[in-house]
Amino acid sequence: MASFGVDFTLILLTDSKGQYIKGEWVPDNQEPVIKQGAIIPYDDRTIYQSGGTLTTSDRQLAYVGDIPLGSHVIDAGKKYKVESEESFREHYADTNLYRLKAVSTSG
């Protein structure tokens, strides 16, 4: 992982404090921390087969450790929300693979 990893900013979410924005509960964020993992774009075939749930802006994150769903990742100025996790630790590797959904920064 070290040879393929890049630094990214991870913003974990708090459980109890937050506010509603446009009808969606948005927890207050904790302080951002710098982590390292492999951020990978989806290939065109995977995007096509997703039936519109994935876009060319979405990414995968291979990361050694646990990231709570709903947390945010910032890479190269782009913000992503951690949507799902696929664990490979049990049989394959010490890595989890996370689906990162691109977050629009426009109002």
Side-chain angles (χ1 to χ4, degrees):
M1 179 73 74
S3 61
F4 299 106
V6 296
D7 289 342
F8 64 89
T9 303
L10 175 62
I11 303 171
L12 300 171
L13 301 177
T14 61
D15 292 330
S16 58
K17 295 182 180 180
Q19 60 185 325
Y20 282 98
I21 298 177
K22 296 182 182 177
E24 181 179 342
W25 178 254
V26 179
D28 290 340
N29 294 333
Q30 293 182 353
E31 288 296 315
V33 291
I34 303 298
K35 298 289 186 176
Q36 190 172 64
I39 297 178
I40 309 158
Y42 285 98
D43 61 78
D44 291 338
R45 182 177 182 177
T46 302
I47 293 169
Y48 176 77
Q49 291 177 339
S50 76
T53 59
L54 294 174
T55 70
T56 56
S57 299
D58 299 331
R59 299 287 184 264
Q60 301 172 83
L61 169 62
Y63 178 72
V64 177
D66 294 313
I67 300 175
L69 299 183
S71 298
H72 288 99
V73 168
I74 300 173
D75 176 55
K78 296 179 182 171
K79 188 174 184 179
Y80 305 92
K81 183 177 182 179
V82 178
E83 275 202 341
S84 65
E85 169 191 4
E86 187 171 346
S87 178
F88 288 95
R89 284 191 271 176
E90 188 173 324
H91 300 291
Y92 307 106
D94 60 352
T95 303
N96 288 332
L97 190 63
Y98 295 92
R99 177 183 291 183
L100 303 179
K101 190 70 179 164
V103 176
S104 173
T105 55
S106 62

